[in-house]
Amino acid sequence: MLEIPEAIVISRQLDQTVKEKRIKEVVTAASPHKFAWYFGEPSEYDALLCGRTIKTAFSYGGRIEILAEGAALQFGDGVNLRYYEADEKYPAKHQLLLVFDDDSALAATVAMYGMLFAYPSHTNLDDDFYYTAAKEAVSPLSDGFDYPYFQTLFHEKGLKMSAKAFLATEQRIPGLGNGVLQDILLNANVYPKKKMGNLSEAQRQGLFYSLKSTLVEMTNAGGRDTERDLFGNPGGYKTKLGKNNKLLICPNCGGSVKKEAYMGGSIYFCEQCQER
């Protein structure tokens, strides 16, 4: 899933790889997917994008945006982006394919669900809550995301939420999802189900510093090892809690790691580091 580290890493790779390439062919919905979401009619993407040159790529929250001479593409959540050189064979199944004039290609595939938007660059998207939330949010990797700012995220409703719900829902921190959440909470020694209102001031500060430092570490390492970059390579950050920790042993203390279903997904926690 595209979360903050992977969105940053892949957008940087796109900016270095496809910038100034001219789109000569666009294929949409070659493999129909019930939960692949397009902007308008995907059949119109070819007319919109063909002949346009890629100008830049960047990220905000967990989204990736590509600008191409008067048009824009936007990807989020469960979209996997892969770049293929001219002599490489791209997959037969995909939800969006861009072929460039040098015969290299960018393929976008959707696993569970994902958005693959293309639209004229002057399109007003202000009525899209998730778009505006991601665009206007202060990035946790920026200097502006300091402890006073973090404190502004707390409110009466938020204090009644669990640590997982507070960090990963309602777009308080766009791009921070269940994937990066596990290590953030482990490094802060906070149990995922613990109510935010029950955290001490010291625990809140610890959570803040863990949030920032863990995301920086993940990003600098090229993303998590549970995800892949633009070229299909796994990230260099070794996740502590998650599907790759098959032994369910805490790397911080050697204790037992538990996995439970919670809020529509799975949580992992160390019984010693993250006391209930």
Side-chain angles (χ1 to χ4, degrees), residues 145-163 165-167 170 172-173 190 194-209 211:
F145 196 104
D146 53 16
Y147 189 61
Y149 174 80
F150 183 64
Q151 289 178 301
T152 67
L153 302 179
F154 291 88
H155 50 74
E156 185 177 354
K157 180 183 177 182
L159 293 174
K160 296 178 181 178
M161 290 181 168
S162 67
F166 178 81
L167 291 178
E170 300 185 358
R172 286 179 194 79
I173 309 174
V190 172
K194 188 161 187 175
K195 300 298 183 185
M196 292 300 294
N198 293 334
L199 295 181
S200 67
E201 178 61 19
Q203 288 176 314
R204 291 187 189 183
Q205 290 184 11
L207 180 57
F208 164 74
Y209 289 116
L211 190 160

Side-chain angles (χ1 to χ4, degrees), residues 15 26 38 66 70 120 146 160 166 170 177 180 193 209 219 223 228 237 247-249:
D15 198 53
V26 179
Y38 299 91
I66 300 174
D146 53 16
K160 296 178 181 178
F166 178 81
E170 300 185 358
V180 300
K193 296 182 182 180
Y209 289 116
T219 303
R228 294 185 178 274
Y237 175 87
L247 298 178
L248 295 178
I249 295 175

Side-chain angles (χ1 to χ4, degrees), residues 85-157:
E85 295 285 2
D87 58 351
E88 293 182 294
K89 186 176 181 179
Y90 42 80
K93 293 185 177 181
H94 48 73
Q95 280 67 55
L96 176 62
L97 179 72
L98 305 181
V99 181
F100 302 105
D101 54 5
D102 62 356
D103 290 325
S104 63
L106 179 66
T109 58
V110 174
M112 295 176 62
Y113 60 86
M115 48 169 287
L116 313 99
F117 286 6
Y119 46 85
S121 55
H122 57 74
T123 303
N124 186 346
L125 300 177
D126 290 346
D127 59 347
D128 183 337
F129 167 74
Y130 294 98
Y131 171 81
T132 55
K135 274 281 193 179
E136 295 173 2
V138 178
S139 169
L141 275 68
S142 70
D143 292 338
F145 196 104
D146 53 16
Y147 189 61
Y149 174 80
F150 183 64
Q151 289 178 301
T152 67
L153 302 179
F154 291 88
H155 50 74
E156 185 177 354
K157 180 183 177 182

